[in-house]
Amino acid sequence: KQEVTQIPAALSVPEGENLVLNCSFTDSAIYNLQWFRQDPGKGLTSLLLIQSSQREQTSGRLNASLDKSSGRSTLYIAASQPGDSATYLCAVGGPGLTFGKGITLSVRP
Amino acid sequence: GAVVSQHPSWVICKSGTSVKIECRSLDFQATTMFWYRQFPKQSLMLMATSNEGSKATYEQGVEKDKFLINHASLTLSTLTVTSAHPEDSSFYICSAIGDSNQPQHFGDGTRLSIL
């Protein structure tokens, strides 16, 4: 059974810092890996999707990497802003997704 | 971008009531829709996978007679929680994809409270 772990559960940083959020999973037989953002009381916003054949994806200040052999992914956030404060979820598929518990990020002005 | 609409956002009802939740893909055809559930301080857990025109596939431990899923068209899937009880209180959220190479797009979720 696939298990996805995100540590730490919470993170607080000053504005402007570059961040790395980590995700690990136990079964490397995945179709893809997806990073989401969840704001309080809201649904999920897809940030990046990495197919199993890919190593990384970039969108604006975000970069996600995937190392299937070691069962790890990282989400890199450059020059963090207070608006980046949210819970970041890592999920592996698929096609149904297995989620981690998320990392709650707080970016202090 | 792809938009998934989920209704209602909140439901509060008495024990024994059946509750229907709708999930619609507004600007794309969803060949597959997924239903997830999240209990407080827990991960989102996949409940079932729904393909248009066929029976849903339920994850282990999810009662198919309790959680009825219908995916009658390429833009609509419904989840009905039958004879809901307080232990069914949770956050239910759907997602949809057009094809397997695309990201899953999620609705805003439904918070269900059974009194």
Side-chain angles (χ1 to χ4, degrees):
Chain A
K1 181 186 172 188
Q2 179 75 269
E3 292 183 7
V4 179
T5 303
Q6 293 183 256
I7 296 173
L11 189 60
S12 179
V13 300
E15 183 176 3
E17 266 203 17
N18 299 323
L19 302 171
V20 174
L21 305 182
N22 294 306
C23 171
S24 62
F25 49 95
T26 54
D27 186 347
S28 61
I30 63 173
Y31 286 178
N32 55 47
L33 183 144
Q34 204 165 346
W35 282 93
F36 295 90
R37 170 186 171 135
Q38 185 175 28
D39 292 287
K42 298 287 188 180
L44 277 64
T45 300
S46 178
L47 298 174
L48 290 165
L49 168 69
I50 310 177
Q51 300 292 351
S52 62
S53 58
Q54 297 173 326
R55 295 298 299 268
E56 67 176 340
Q57 283 289 325
T58 298
S59 176
R61 293 184 294 110
L62 305 179
N63 174 276
S65 67
L66 173 63
D67 184 343
K68 279 201 325 178
S69 61
S70 66
R72 294 179 187 275
S73 175
T74 61
L75 177 67
Y76 176 82
I77 304 176
S80 58
Q81 303 169 359
D84 295 330
S85 299
T87 297
Y88 290 82
L89 297 166
C90 167
V92 298
L97 295 174
T98 301
F99 282 83
K101 288 186 177 182
I103 298 173
T104 299
L105 173 66
S106 174
V107 181
R108 306 186 301 271
Chain B
V3 178
V4 175
S5 174
Q6 186 173 339
H7 291 283
S9 300
W10 287 84
V11 180
I12 302 174
C13 58
K14 294 181 180 180
S15 184
T17 306
S18 291
V19 179
K20 180 185 281 189
I21 303 169
E22 289 190 350
C23 180
R24 294 181 184 272
S25 57
L26 298 186
D27 53 0
F28 68 102
Q29 292 189 322
T31 54
T32 306
M33 288 185 170
F34 304 89
W35 288 95
Y36 297 83
R37 176 171 56 182
Q38 184 178 33
F39 292 109
K41 300 189 185 302
Q42 299 297 314
S43 307
L44 279 158
M45 298 291 290
L46 179 66
M47 297 176 67
T49 301
S50 166
N51 291 296
E52 185 263 340
S54 61
K55 289 185 179 180
T57 302
Y58 291 82
E59 295 298 302
Q60 191 173 8
V62 178
E63 300 174 59
K64 62 180 181 181
D65 295 330
K66 174 78 170 177
F67 299 98
L68 301 180
I69 292 172
N70 183 279
H71 192 164
S73 76
L74 284 171
T75 59
L76 174 65
S77 176
T78 60
L79 168 67
T80 301
V81 184
T82 61
S83 188
H85 292 287
E87 58 266 28
D88 298 321
S89 298
S90 187
F91 182 67
Y92 294 85
I93 190 166
C94 70
S95 71
I97 54 174
D99 67 65
S100 59
N101 292 322
Q102 297 300 312
Q104 287 190 30
H105 297 283
F106 282 76
D108 282 344
T110 298
R111 195 159 299 280
L112 175 62
S113 295
I114 308 298
L115 305 177

